[in-house]
């Protein structure tokens, strides 16, 4: 498959809109994604999600939890202490 950058952006936008609508239909509390302060090849760029109303709600080291809440509740990372 050979997509232009514009095609790829359109596909990403449609996929995210599908996920958001599906979560709402299923009565979910929102949608979360994990991103990073620094670009990492295995994680989506947080700028894309911020554009669609997601907000950074928690972080651990370089990782950030982004949320689009439907009920104003904010999810968080569970902090585990290693012994």
């Amino acid at each position: 498959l050979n997509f232009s950058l514009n095609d790829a952006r359109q596909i990403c936008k449609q996929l995210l809109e599908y996920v958001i609508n599906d979560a709402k239909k299923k009565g979910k509390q929102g949608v979360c994604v994990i991103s990073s302060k620094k670009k990492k090849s295995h994680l989506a760029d947080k700028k894309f999600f911020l554009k669609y109303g997601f907000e950074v709600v928690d972080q651990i080291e370089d990782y950030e939890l982004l949320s689009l809440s439907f009920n104003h509740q904010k999810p968080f990372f569970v902090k585990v202490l290693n012994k």
Side-chain angles (χ1 to χ4, degrees):
L1 297 172
N2 190 8
F3 294 106
S4 71
L5 183 57
N6 193 43
D7 290 339
R9 286 183 181 143
Q10 190 62 29
I11 291 168
C12 290
K13 177 183 174 191
Q14 289 175 350
L15 181 58
L16 182 59
E17 288 171 353
Y18 176 85
V19 168
I20 292 168
N21 290 331
D22 189 55
K24 286 179 179 179
K25 283 182 198 172
K26 292 180 177 176
K28 303 297 179 184
Q29 296 178 21
V31 177
C32 293
V33 296
I34 296 175
S35 190
S36 178
K37 293 178 190 177
K38 299 176 185 173
K39 278 196 171 189
K40 297 187 185 231
S41 61
H42 59 283
L43 295 174
D45 188 350
K46 76 176 180 181
K47 291 177 193 174
F48 173 76
F49 294 101
L50 294 174
K51 219 167 95 171
Y52 288 94
F54 283 73
E55 62 178 322
V56 177
V57 293
D58 201 2
Q59 62 186 29
I60 292 179
E61 298 173 7
D62 286 341
Y63 295 96
E64 296 178 318
L65 181 63
L66 284 79
S67 171
L68 178 64
S69 179
F70 305 147
N71 63 3
H72 306 294
Q73 292 184 1
K74 294 185 179 182
F76 53 89
F77 286 123
V78 175
K79 314 283 193 273
V80 178
L81 297 175
N82 293 328
K83 292 185 178 187

